[in-house]
Amino acid sequence: LILVNKPKYNMASESTAADGSNTAAITSPKNVPNFSHVPWPVRPRDGINYDFVATLYLIGSALALSFYLLETKILAPLLVENDVDATTTAADESDSTTGTEENGEEGSNAWKEFASGMQGMYFIFAPFVPCLLWSLLVRYFWLKETKKISLDKKDN
């Protein structure tokens, strides 16, 4: 069992209420951001650099976009040729031991294999796109609160 220490708040000195009972007031430090006003799905957590998180999600989204464009713009002609080749008979196909086709094109089988292997690769990185949008929203609230704290420090 691993116990995680939560951040502690400064306890004000015990004060005496009007009826004579002792109460302890809890105050939060001024240098810790307060995200209680932010909705919970986009509430930033202390100790996380959301610039880093958003950058990583941006890289993943760029990979998804790159693989999508690679498949649809560059490899699409090879995939169409692959579909046409799949309908041909076994007699029309190339000899698998030589790697050449009857029309003399060498290496086109390797490109067709590459194209078919890359088909749908962008689906792996597609979840990064909504995560990027989420992280940018969280980062907005994080920057807003940290900027407010830094301005308060400058005023003091």
Side-chain angles (χ1 to χ4, degrees):
L1 181 66
I2 298 174
L3 299 176
V4 178
N5 291 333
K6 292 187 176 186
K8 296 181 180 180
Y9 294 102
N10 294 335
M11 298 293 286
S13 61
E14 291 185 1
S15 60
T16 306
D19 62 354
S21 63
N22 288 336
T23 60
I26 298 175
T27 60
S28 65
K30 289 185 178 184
N31 60 354
V32 175
N34 182 9
F35 299 114
S36 61
H37 63 282
V38 179
W40 71 267
V42 291
R43 185 176 298 150
R45 304 283 293 177
D46 291 336
I48 297 176
N49 184 350
Y50 287 97
D51 289 332
F52 179 74
V53 172
T55 302
L56 290 181
Y57 283 141
L58 180 66
I59 292 169
S61 299
L63 282 171
L65 181 65
S66 299
F67 283 133
Y68 178 76
L69 292 175
L70 178 71
E71 180 180 330
T72 58
K73 302 297 181 193
I74 298 171
L75 300 178
L78 292 173
L79 292 171
V80 171
E81 288 176 17
N82 232 2
D83 292 340
V84 171
D85 288 346
T87 59
T88 61
T89 62
D92 294 336
E93 292 182 4
S94 66
D95 183 11
S96 63
T97 59
T98 62
T100 62
E101 293 183 353
E102 290 180 1
N103 60 6
E105 293 180 25
E106 292 185 19
S108 65
N109 278 342
W111 282 109
K112 289 178 184 178
E113 282 294 318
F114 176 74
S116 66
M118 292 300 293
Q119 194 172 11
M121 187 67 72
Y122 63 92
F123 282 121
I124 295 171
F125 296 97
F128 281 94
V129 176
C131 290
L132 173 65
L133 299 176
W134 171 83
S135 70
L136 290 175
L137 188 59
V138 174
R139 181 179 173 270
Y140 167 77
F141 288 115
W142 176 69
L143 287 175
K144 185 177 170 182
E145 190 66 29
T146 54
K147 185 177 182 180
K148 188 168 90 174
I149 288 175
S150 66
L151 290 175
D152 289 344
K153 283 184 181 179
K154 287 181 183 178
D155 290 342
N156 292 338

